[in-house]
Amino acid sequence: MDALAEYFKVFSEPNRLSVLDALRAGPLNVTAVVEKTGHSQALVSKHLKLLTIAGVVRRRPEGSLVFYEVIDKSVFKLLARAEKLMLTAKRQQLDALAAIL
Amino acid sequence: MDALAEYFKVFSEPNRLSVLDALRAGPLNVTAVVEKTGHSQALVSKHLKLLTIAGVVRRRPEGSLVFYEVIDKSVFKLLARAEKLMLTAKRQQLDALAAIL
DNA sequence: AATTAAAACAACAGCATCATGATGCTACGT
DNA sequence: ACGTAGCATCATGATGCTGTTGTTTTAATT
């Protein structure tokens, strides 16, 4: 239960999520992620490290560049499922509100 | 992207996850959750409030008791998927570790 | 009305996390 | 060997979250 919470924590940060999303189409090196996300280099590097430690992303040095890529693309299915759940949750909230009025 | 991160944050806390898990079998009142989880009453109340605001759980007063129940049980599928992903991720981590040694 | 049990609220201390700016470190080209 | 680009790390300040204690509300019971 503890480990699961930590795993969810990986995806509970907007900037980290955007870094992960930048890798959706395929591997990118750090600078490319920086440009794609608009975040500072230090920040991107940090989040990529976290994602690597979490086992979500793989680090692959190539010459003087370092490429990162998503290991198991089914993480995006997780994101999609969460998004769907979130939407229905919000709708339920509205329904609950309507039931009161 | 922001909202998604916040939604994930709901599940990124061990105690909150255990509170949610306590409601897996069905509705419970606060005291029952307290007994099932072993957490303090105040803490349980707090987490239940959060889960309610997040739209994961529904609050239903009944007499002097207040029952809580999971609105959409497919949240547990989200948890299961995350757990699965986590396990494969950990294996990949071990492999990566082994590649270094 | 007073009492009691259940649940929520408030204030506080402690802790973790995040973003930034600066600095270090590698690998490559000249 | 030197300079540079790419990436990682460090130290710091700021912010937010968690859990506890103590109090308050709500509802039922006598």
Side-chain angles (χ1 to χ4, degrees):
Chain A
M1 199 67 106
D2 255 35
L4 186 56
E6 273 202 29
Y7 191 68
F8 271 107
K9 202 176 289 184
V10 173
F11 307 103
S12 70
E13 219 286 320
N15 292 339
R16 189 154 51 237
L17 226 48
S18 70
V19 166
L20 179 58
D21 191 66
L23 299 176
R24 191 184 284 264
L28 289 181
N29 68 327
V30 177
T31 305
V33 174
V34 167
E35 287 170 356
K36 198 164 189 177
T37 61
H39 302 139
S40 74
Q41 182 266 320
L43 187 62
V44 168
S45 192
K46 246 186 191 177
H47 284 307
L48 284 174
K49 180 175 188 176
L50 239 170
L51 289 168
T52 303
I53 291 175
V56 175
V57 144
R58 177 188 303 128
R59 192 186 115 106
R60 179 166 46 84
E62 186 149 330
S64 66
L65 305 183
V66 176
F67 282 83
Y68 284 88
E69 68 180 318
V70 174
I71 293 178
D72 185 349
K73 293 217 171 189
S74 64
V75 273
F76 295 117
K77 289 188 184 173
L78 181 73
L79 300 187
R81 183 181 276 275
E83 222 160 10
K84 218 182 282 181
L85 248 166
M86 187 182 64
L87 293 182
T88 71
K90 300 242 168 181
R91 194 171 58 221
Q92 300 268 8
Q93 279 178 276
L94 293 181
D95 290 354
L97 195 66
I100 294 172
L101 304 180
Chain B
M1 197 68 104
D2 255 35
L4 186 56
E6 273 200 28
Y7 190 69
F8 271 107
K9 200 177 290 185
V10 172
F11 307 103
S12 71
E13 219 286 319
N15 292 340
R16 187 155 53 237
L17 225 48
S18 71
V19 167
L20 178 59
D21 190 66
L23 299 176
R24 191 184 285 264
L28 290 180
N29 68 327
V30 177
T31 304
V33 174
V34 167
E35 288 169 355
K36 198 164 189 177
T37 60
H39 302 140
S40 74
Q41 183 267 322
L43 187 61
V44 168
S45 192
K46 247 186 195 178
H47 284 304
L48 284 173
K49 180 174 188 176
L50 238 170
L51 289 168
T52 304
I53 292 175
V56 175
V57 145
R58 177 188 301 128
R59 193 186 115 105
R60 179 165 46 85
E62 187 149 330
S64 66
L65 306 183
V66 177
F67 282 83
Y68 285 88
E69 68 179 318
V70 174
I71 294 178
D72 184 350
K73 294 217 172 188
S74 65
V75 273
F76 295 117
K77 289 188 184 172
L78 181 72
L79 300 188
R81 183 181 276 275
E83 224 161 7
K84 217 182 283 181
L85 247 165
M86 187 182 63
L87 292 182
T88 70
K90 299 242 168 182
R91 197 170 56 219
Q92 300 268 9
Q93 278 178 276
L94 294 181
D95 291 354
L97 195 65
I100 293 173
L101 305 178

